[in-house]
Amino acid sequence: MAYSDKVLDHYENPRNVGTLDKNDPNVGTGMVGAPACGDVMKLMIKVNDSGIIEDAKFKTYGCGSAIASSSLVTEWLKGRTIDEAYAIKNSEIAEELALPPVKIHCSVLAEDAIKAAVADIKAKQAAKVEA
Amino acid sequence: MQNAQTNYFQLFGFPEQFQIDTQSLELNFRKIQSASHPDRFVSATADKRLQSMQMATTANEAYSTLKNPATRAKYLLELQGINAIADTNTAMPMDFLMQQMEWREQLEDAKAAKNIPALEQLLTELQVESKSIQADLANLFDAKRDYSSATDTARKLIFIDKVCADIHQAIEQLE
């Protein structure tokens, strides 16, 4: 199967690989997995006090499309609010990377990782308000 | 999608459950294989020949599905109308996914270092984990019939099965 140029670019030069301090109250972590292909994706976002994502890092074990999907979303996330991030749809990711139908699930994984990271930061913020 | 109606468990005379007798599986598979062998149907009608070929294919699929505990669990869930590996289901326990990442990292490191003993050690560790998950599945499927918990547990086994397959492949490439 041929990968699109955009997938290859992200796969060969993945952006924002790494981790953020998970104990930082402004850092949200999203972790998701797909048993069908054994992919695991970890996405971390750092949010400032105005709810804007300042930094995003990822670590993904999986195929080229899964790595490209996570790499792409870390680029997209920076500068967006967490609500805007939450609204990102897997179809946008799939379209940008020209993913073939058999690889659509990789973009689903990336969307779900964003949602999980946003949920985590919201839970952290709620805990902070209560404290 | 060969003969979707055939129930793999019935084909081998097994009850629909997670625990199976692997020796009987082997034995019954050989029986079906030899009974449906094309050599026995050389002078048979075209209809019979096709039938025996379909039987042989189904038996192959059934055998490989039931032999591997991960695919057996997945198949048992399919019989309940549950797709354990649905694309839309990406939620897994965080600690399990962290463990997955660690195993994947160890696999990558050992592969890069061409360290076969390290790969074998990782494989042993995963096999221990796999055995413990299989015991859980036997309990969830056969005793409790708790298909919701069985789905979550089967997903773990499918993950581990994949890492094991990747380790085997890495070892083969290095040998």
Side-chain angles (χ1 to χ4, degrees), chain A residues 43-118:
Chain A
L43 178 71
M44 300 183 98
I45 53 173
K46 190 178 167 80
V47 180
N48 70 16
D49 291 338
S50 349
I52 291 168
I53 298 169
E54 285 182 331
D55 201 1
K57 298 269 187 210
F58 83 95
K59 203 163 190 187
T60 293
Y61 278 92
C63 67
S65 300
I67 290 167
S69 296
S70 27
S71 170
L72 174 72
V73 297
T74 55
E75 282 194 319
W76 279 2
L77 288 173
K78 287 186 200 180
R80 294 199 193 195
T81 66
I82 50 174
D83 290 327
E84 284 166 351
Y86 198 84
I88 292 175
K89 291 267 172 297
N90 83 285
S91 52
E92 300 168 52
I93 302 163
E95 193 182 340
E96 174 69 18
L97 294 172
L99 295 181
V102 292
K103 291 292 179 187
I104 297 297
H105 67 270
C106 298
S107 62
V108 174
L109 208 56
E111 179 191 321
D112 288 355
I114 299 173
K115 291 197 161 43
V118 170

Side-chain angles (χ1 to χ4, degrees), chain A residues 22 29-42 59-61 104-105 108-109 112-113, chain B residues 84-92 94 97-101 104-105 108 155-156 158-159 162 166:
Chain A
K22 69 175 188 325
T29 306
M31 249 187 129
V32 291
C37 35
D39 291 353
V40 195
M41 191 178 282
K42 178 161 81 170
K59 203 163 190 187
T60 293
Y61 278 92
I104 297 297
H105 67 270
V108 174
L109 208 56
D112 288 355
Chain B
I85 56 165
D87 289 349
T88 46
N89 182 0
T90 62
M92 300 277 302
M94 184 93 135
L97 290 175
M98 292 297 261
Q99 179 70 72
Q100 276 291 314
M101 281 255 172
R104 288 276 164 199
E105 275 164 21
E108 292 297 310
R155 288 165 63 81
K156 289 185 182 176
I158 294 166
F159 252 107
K162 180 84 173 75
D166 290 350

